[in-house]
Amino acid sequence: MARRPLPRILSSGTASLARGRDFARTAADSATDVLHPLLTIGRGLRILASAGRRKWSETPKEKRGPALFLGAACVLVVALVPYGPPLALITLMAAAAWQGRDRTPVKTGPSDAETERLGSLYEALVPYFSIPEDPNALFAHGGDWDKAFSGYEFDEAGRITRLHIRYPAYFTDGEAASRARIEALLHAKSGRGREYLFDWDEEGNQVDLSVLAALPTGIAAQPFVTSPGETVLGFTDAGCVQRTLPVLEGDEPRDVPPVIWRTGPRSTEPHLLAVGQPGSGTSTLLRSIALQALRHGGDVLIVEGGGSGEYSCLSGRSGVLAVECGPSGAPATLEWAAQETERRLIATHRAREAGRPAPEDTRRPLWILLDQPTVLAHLAVAEGGPDPLAQLQVPLRHGRPAHITVVVAEQFDHLELLNDAVWQHTRARVVLGPAAIQQITDVLGLPPHTTPTAQVPPGRGYARLGTGPVHRLQVPATPDPYDDATHPRFRQAVLELLPDRLAPGAGGGQGQEHVTPAKPVPPAQAQGPAIDAPEIPEVPAEAP
């Protein structure tokens, strides 16, 4: 039997009903918006009427007569007063609008999920903050967490963002190991993947936990507002330093707190050691330091052990004496640096004996930047040559009065190959990339004040200048401008900061006639010109 089609009213009724419901819903919303003041006043009149009936029912019977007489008298007075009825109506409508307003309930305490999280955190701290001999233990299984947690905040996901904890006075908060156990527990229970700041108050037996915001990663290399002798290593948290710098993050101006490293004859941290994993940003830090040194009129000498060519953008530039990356040229370059240090010291000493100021060429800053020098040292020793790091002892020990600064960047796996002179004289330290707390402590001398995370952007780490505190650090983005894999905006910022290229036959820096060593240096086996090479070959035009 053939199937009979449905009537048209049934086949097309669904779409019509849907359109009708949408129209009705839209009309109702519009009417609610238009009639919202009347609805508010009506709700207020209902509340006032309910309050009046309740008040009348609570009034004793013997007092209802005088109350009615008093009310009638008030109505009569209002009726006889000029403009009394309109004013009474306006007052009634205002009171109704006030009583009928929307009242959003105010949150007075944590939600059930937040209470459960605080309770579990309290129970986890009981074994660390309690002893059996304490008759009135602040932390006890099944105890009240309100006495221990006096302040707390949560984010939208229900995770703790701030927590104020009171602990008993017998807790050994003076021991770093005890504090580290508490910090590790709070880090695990409050949520991994974030950086937490722990502020211990040993006098008040209190500790504050707070989640730190991520440091800005969009600040590119740019001309920072600094004086000669000041180098911006990166940027840190607000409140950790007493200074801010105006910078551009993209096209937006900002004031950010910097980590300033001061060099020169009066510096207490004349040399720097940067340590990290491959890809952590140590080469980026060295490029940033080199560009700032060149901007302030210094000479730069680069020794690259990795052989990746990340400093080829500086080859042949004004102020760059050499970019050396060969195992045969590195010892000669560092030997020249040692002789130049001695020459500056002797010239300065003779000038002072004669009552004259030091020569200008001895006061011109010289920066020696070494990236993974242990690789070149290993190759030089394997070929039977001298260790080039041995020549580095003279600039490290006597470089401060000679206006010579040494910056060494090395990886964690090769730290044992660095000699004692590097460890003794590099009092400014930087650790970049993911690292364990013990690794950071071994390099900086102090553990970080925050909990390091496993995933960090390049250039992110910690810095400590001398005996100062440990700061979080984000190095400004200073990539190799010839690396197409990096952001075009960052590469263009580096290209704009590069000095002009030297003309053929020009010297490597100002006052070049004063820095020629007594023993000729062999031609550099690198991408840049040798220090005393008589002529610098032409280099290809800069990439657009």
Side-chain angles (χ1 to χ4, degrees), residues 85-415:
L87 291 176
L89 181 62
I90 293 174
T91 303
L92 178 62
M93 294 298 103
W98 175 258
Q99 291 295 331
R101 70 188 187 280
D102 293 333
R103 292 184 172 91
T104 303
V106 179
K107 183 179 178 181
T108 57
S111 62
D112 294 339
E114 295 171 352
T115 302
E116 184 179 356
R117 183 180 287 270
L118 290 173
S120 62
L121 184 59
Y122 174 84
E123 292 291 334
L125 291 172
V126 169
Y128 301 92
F129 285 150
S130 64
I131 57 175
E133 296 80 8
D134 190 354
N136 298 318
L138 182 61
F139 285 81
H141 291 295
D144 190 2
W145 56 264
D146 288 338
K147 299 179 181 179
F149 302 156
S150 57
Y152 44 84
E153 292 180 4
F154 293 86
D155 58 8
E156 295 79 5
R159 297 191 300 177
I160 295 175
T161 59
R162 189 185 66 83
L163 184 63
H164 182 78
I165 304 174
R166 294 174 54 242
Y167 56 86
Y170 51 76
F171 175 71
T172 56
D173 52 6
E175 300 178 2
S178 300
R179 294 197 304 268
R181 286 194 296 268
I182 299 299
E183 293 175 1
L185 174 64
L186 294 175
H187 182 203
K189 293 294 184 179
S190 302
R192 299 184 184 273
R194 302 183 296 174
E195 272 194 281
Y196 296 90
L197 173 65
F198 297 96
D199 185 11
W200 290 85
D201 181 11
E202 289 85 355
E203 286 186 286
N205 301 320
Q206 300 173 358
V207 58
D208 283 321
L209 175 149
S210 57
V211 178
L212 294 175
L215 295 177
T217 58
I219 301 177
Q222 53 192 282
F224 299 115
V225 185
T226 55
S227 303
E230 293 183 343
T231 303
V232 177
L233 298 180
F235 305 99
T236 185
D237 300 297
C240 295
V241 294
Q242 300 179 353
R243 177 177 177 181
T244 58
L245 282 183
V247 298
L248 288 176
E249 186 174 2
D251 296 331
E252 181 182 356
R254 292 185 55 187
D255 287 341
V256 293
V259 178
I260 300 292
W261 175 38
R262 292 174 175 82
T263 58
R266 293 179 176 84
S267 173
T268 57
E269 303 89 22
H271 310 296
L272 182 138
L273 173 63
V275 184
Q277 302 288 356
S280 59
T282 53
S283 300
T284 296
L285 175 61
L286 261 63
R287 270 190 299 269
S288 176
I289 293 175
L291 293 176
Q292 296 181 62
L294 293 172
R295 177 174 172 266
H296 289 302
D299 291 331
V300 175
L301 178 65
I302 300 175
V303 177
E304 180 188 2
S308 58
E310 295 193 6
Y311 304 93
S312 59
C313 60
L314 296 171
S315 296
R317 301 283 179 173
S318 176
V320 181
L321 302 182
V323 179
E324 182 64 61
C325 64
S328 60
T333 303
L334 294 179
E335 182 182 357
W336 173 87
Q339 295 178 1
E340 172 66 10
T341 305
E342 296 172 350
R343 186 197 67 81
R344 291 189 176 204
L345 293 175
I346 294 174
T348 302
H349 180 67
R350 291 176 177 175
R352 289 175 179 173
E353 284 185 340
R356 300 191 305 269
E360 181 66 25
D361 63 294
T362 62
R363 290 184 282 118
R364 180 178 175 82
L366 173 61
W367 293 75
I368 305 175
L369 309 181
L370 300 97
D371 193 355
Q372 301 183 42
T374 57
V375 177
L376 294 177
H378 176 75
L379 294 177
V381 173
E383 294 180 357
D387 185 2
L389 293 181
Q391 301 291 338
L392 198 60
Q393 296 185 13
V394 176
L396 285 171
R397 292 177 178 176
H398 308 289
R400 181 172 60 177
H403 295 268
I404 295 178
T405 303
V406 179
V407 180
V408 180
E410 194 49 80
Q411 298 180 7
F412 277 108
D413 298 337
H414 303 153
L415 288 181

